[in-house]
Amino acid sequence: MEESALEQLKSHTVVVADTGDFNVLISTAIEEYKPQDATTNPSLILAAAQMPEYQQLVTDALQYGKKLGGTEEEQLNNIMDKLFVLFGAEILKKIPGRVSTEVDARLSFDKDGMVERAKRLIALYKEAGIDKKRILIKLSSTWEGIQAGKVLEEKYGIHCNMTLLFSFAQAVACAEAGVTLISPFVGRILDWHVANSDKKSYEPSEDPGVKSVTKIYNYYKKFGYKTIVMGASFRNTGEIKALTGCDYLTISPKLLGELSKDSTKLSPTLTPKEAQACNLEKIHLDEKSFRWEHNEDQMAVEKLSDGIRKFAADAIKLEKMLKDRCKK
């Protein structure tokens, strides 16, 4: 029997499930996919928290927050953190690897705030009997977020996943900070180019998101950076197949299903050997040069700010839902 594209992909790349719906992780389909890790974000948790089957987790988080007491804002923060950790803990029962849990996007420009929130999430996981080695803390790839990641990795041994990454400058700064993993957003880069140019479709190898991740992968491998490159936010399986060989790829259940039924022959398009041959020069970015280089990339500036606003809006919706539940 021919190997599916998914099985072939898994022999070159670590496959991660992008979902907050952990029932999906034990469905027959995902049993076949057997992802190593899983990623969540505020939007995925918001969607899952409204499903009937997860109401007990919401209730447990509410009880936890009320028990701790404090101001309404403190209670809500504690409830939100606990809810994210409860979802993460359930997901970890279904996968062998790590789960990514996101720090509130409203802290994206507050380095110390992100560090403290990350430490709090790790403490909650510890209370639940889960070692920090199984957690990746997701932080926005702002300058402040990247520096928070550096502190968390160096001082506290907390592994970080830098998200909302769109520019080469962000990737270089993350590598220099020594974070564990980055999540460049392939599909959102494509979205921007489709919306802002006359070209409405791209061959996978010419897809601007695919080209962005390829450049980052080549740069990291050429200059010996240990940070893992995990392509994220895919719009179609063509993008995924064009990044075969990337360290990790985080893929929605829908696209995992399509790959499992696809029998296209895959071979690695990204390899350390090819990376050594690329003509990229090593660069160093301090805060001033980072801000300038990132600002020169209109797509990245717009998509980073848009991504932060959207994740923040979903955090506010989740907060409102929890606040309403508190009053009942």
Side-chain angles (χ1 to χ4, degrees):
M1 189 179 158
E2 274 188 315
E3 262 196 325
S4 70
L6 180 60
E7 283 308 310
Q8 294 173 69
L9 181 66
K10 282 164 67 177
S11 63
H12 304 294
T13 291
V14 175
V15 170
V16 178
D18 196 17
T19 180
D21 180 359
F22 56 79
N23 271 347
V24 171
L25 287 164
I26 49 170
S27 68
T28 316
I30 287 271
E31 276 292 298
E32 290 167 23
Y33 311 152
K34 293 189 169 56
Q36 170 77 20
D37 293 359
T39 49
T40 64
N41 64 44
S43 307
L44 294 171
I45 298 292
L46 172 65
Q50 293 173 78
M51 297 178 186
E53 56 267 44
Y54 302 132
Q55 291 318 297
Q56 188 56 50
L57 294 187
V58 176
T59 301
D60 292 349
L62 289 166
Q63 286 171 347
Y64 176 86
K66 284 176 181 171
K67 192 176 76 180
L68 288 185
T71 65
E72 185 181 63
E73 186 184 354
E74 286 167 344
Q75 282 190 43
L76 268 175
N77 283 342
N78 288 330
I79 292 166
M80 292 266 281
D81 287 347
K82 183 67 171 176
L83 186 63
F84 276 52
V85 167
L86 287 170
F87 270 98
E90 289 298 326
I91 288 169
L92 285 171
K93 292 175 186 174
K94 326 294 182 194
I95 57 168
R98 299 185 284 203
V99 70
S100 289
T101 298
E102 192 145 347
V103 164
D104 194 319
R106 289 169 290 179
L107 296 171
S108 293
F109 302 101
D110 179 354
K111 175 189 154 190
D112 295 339
M114 283 183 271
V115 169
E116 289 310 310
R117 202 67 175 264
K119 285 162 60 184
R120 170 89 184 119
L121 289 166
I122 292 297
L124 286 169
Y125 274 115
K126 190 177 180 182
E127 279 176 26
I130 294 162
D131 193 285
K132 68 182 177 185
K133 291 200 294 278
R134 295 198 71 197
I135 311 302
L136 284 168
I137 294 293
K138 280 176 91 173
L139 302 165
S140 301
S141 298
T142 55
W143 177 258
E144 294 80 4
I146 295 165
Q147 299 318 302
K150 182 178 170 69
V151 171
L152 288 165
E153 297 270 3
E154 288 179 1
K155 195 171 175 184
Y156 301 102
I158 293 171
H159 298 301
C160 297
N161 167 357
M162 303 308 301
T163 190
L164 294 175
L165 193 145
F166 302 98
S167 71
F168 189 62
Q170 288 174 296
V172 170
C174 286
E176 292 193 311
V179 297
T180 297
L181 181 147
I182 62 166
S183 295
F185 277 34
V186 180
R188 292 197 198 184
I189 293 176
L190 172 67
D191 294 346
W192 189 90
H193 283 274
V194 168
N196 291 279
S197 73
D198 294 333
K199 196 165 168 63
K200 300 304 174 192
S201 65
Y202 293 82
E203 287 300 311
S205 62
E206 291 303 311
D207 184 301
V210 169
K211 288 169 84 170
S212 173
V213 173
T214 301
K215 181 180 178 182
I216 293 165
Y217 174 92
N218 286 341
Y219 184 83
Y220 278 21
K221 297 297 176 275
K222 181 168 184 175
F223 297 111
Y225 290 112
K226 298 287 185 280
T227 298
I228 293 163
V229 180
M230 180 172 75
S233 150
F234 293 104
R235 296 295 175 258
N236 54 66
T237 58
E239 290 177 325
I240 296 165
K241 291 185 282 189
L243 289 170
T244 301
C246 191
D247 300 326
Y248 286 34
L249 296 174
T250 184
I251 306 169
S252 68
K254 177 180 176 286
L255 293 178
L256 284 171
E258 289 179 25
L259 287 166
S260 72
K261 297 182 182 75
D262 184 339
S263 57
T264 310
K265 194 93 181 89
L266 294 188
S267 55
T269 48
L270 277 60
T271 67
K273 189 179 174 188
E274 292 275 328
Q276 291 304 321
C278 75
N279 61 358
L280 293 166
E281 297 291 321
K282 192 171 187 180
I283 58 173
H284 163 67
L285 297 177
D286 60 12
E287 181 178 353
K288 291 189 291 289
S289 52
F290 167 83
R291 291 193 187 281
W292 178 261
E293 291 298 331
H294 179 71
N295 194 64
E296 286 289 280
D297 187 335
Q298 185 188 348
M299 174 277 297
V301 170
E302 290 179 13
K303 294 310 286 184
L304 174 59
S305 60
D306 181 56
I308 290 170
R309 281 193 302 272
K310 282 181 174 155
F311 280 161
D314 281 342
I316 290 164
K317 282 181 201 163
L318 183 56
E319 242 176 26
K320 184 180 182 309
M321 187 191 94
L322 293 169
K323 208 184 282 186
D324 290 345
R325 283 284 298 271
C326 274
K327 290 169 185 167
K328 285 181 182 175

